[in-house]
Amino acid sequence: MAVAIRQGQPGDIPELVEMINGFAGRNLMLPRTPEAVMKTLPDWLVAVERETDGTESLLGCGSLVALTPELAEVRSLAVHERGQGKGVGSTVVENLVALAKAREFSQVCALTLREEFFQRLGFEIVDRWSISPKLWQECIYCPKFHRCDEVAVVKYLTVRRPEEAGPGKHVAANPLLKWQAWQPLKLAYSYKPIHLHEE
Ligand SMILES: CC(C)(COP(=O)(O)OP(=O)(O)OC[C@H]1O[C@@H](n2cnc3c(N)ncnc32)[C@H](O)[C@@H]1OP(=O)(O)O)[C@@H](O)C(=O)NCCC(=O)NCCS
């Protein structure tokens, strides 16, 4: 099968939304509307199967969402059932990571139920609360909001964490996730608890 990765085009949207919403119906990912995909189309990559006559059929997709100037999220990753287990999903993620690098992000993250899949691609599992809360801004729309089983994963692109750097190796001044990005969350936690039933 000849698989090509390219930027999403308006003509891909109906098939793409149908695939995503099929998986969303099984609680594997969040649904998308055609309008939402259209608005963010430059951020979408699709995997297509190309026939010798040039016709294409959609196999998979994924999008890159900027959460902060440093951090991008791989979102809406999906591969049609007929194309799964053949490396298509991995190729989409690798291309989204390359896109993130080209757009000068220093980290890419994802929320996933398939953490081993992302780990094989160089992502590592992190505490979900160490990531900007912007990662969670969509969670209120998720049917699993109150029983979330997703795992947060991050891949470091242009910077190294201090413990990874050997002697003499460059370490960026601010290699970790932007703390100021989740300051409101910290403040929320610092409120004094209210005791309704004082003894
Ligand atoms: C998760 C998903 C995107 C993975 O896509 P995929 O195309 O099946 O992914 P790959 O084929 O690259 O990798 C899947 C497995 O096949 C294996 N594989 C990769 N290339 C292969 C090849 N050429 N031949 C056989 N197996 C291969 C990989 O080792 C991988 O194993 P792992 O899952 O244990 O890491 C896909 O299963 C999917 O769309 N699921 C439903 C929607 C969903 O859950 N989306 C949210 C994802 S966060």
Side-chain angles (χ1 to χ4, degrees), residues 23 28-29 77-79 83-90 111-112 114 116-118 120:
F23 289 129
L28 294 172
M29 59 198 299
L77 177 67
V79 173
Q84 289 182 7
K86 297 170 185 167
V88 176
S90 305
L111 286 177
T112 184
R114 296 284 303 272
E116 298 91 355
F117 168 82
F118 279 95
R120 205 171 40 75

Side-chain angles (χ1 to χ4, degrees), residues 19-20 23-24 26-30 59-61 74-81 83-93 110-121 150:
M19 177 176 66
I20 290 175
F23 289 129
R26 288 153 52 190
N27 276 345
L28 294 172
M29 59 198 299
L30 287 174
L59 268 187
C61 66
V74 169
R75 201 179 277 181
S76 302
L77 177 67
V79 173
H80 204 287
E81 261 143 0
Q84 289 182 7
K86 297 170 185 167
V88 176
S90 305
T91 309
V92 172
V93 172
L111 286 177
T112 184
L113 300 172
R114 296 284 303 272
E115 62 267 28
E116 298 91 355
F117 168 82
F118 279 95
Q119 282 176 300
R120 205 171 40 75
L121 295 170
E150 303 241 338

Side-chain angles (χ1 to χ4, degrees), residues 32 36-37 39-45 62-77 96-97 99-100 103 105-110 131-132 134-138:
R32 298 284 164 227
V37 177
K39 267 192 205 157
T40 54
L41 205 52
D43 305 323
W44 286 76
L45 295 182
S63 70
L64 191 72
V65 179
L67 298 181
T68 75
E70 290 80 22
L71 178 66
E73 179 191 353
V74 169
R75 201 179 277 181
S76 302
L77 177 67
L96 287 169
V97 167
L99 181 62
R103 292 182 176 180
F105 290 100
S106 50
Q107 296 152 347
V108 186
C109 65
I131 297 189
S132 162
K134 288 188 178 170
L135 183 65
W136 307 101
Q137 67 197 356
E138 285 224 317

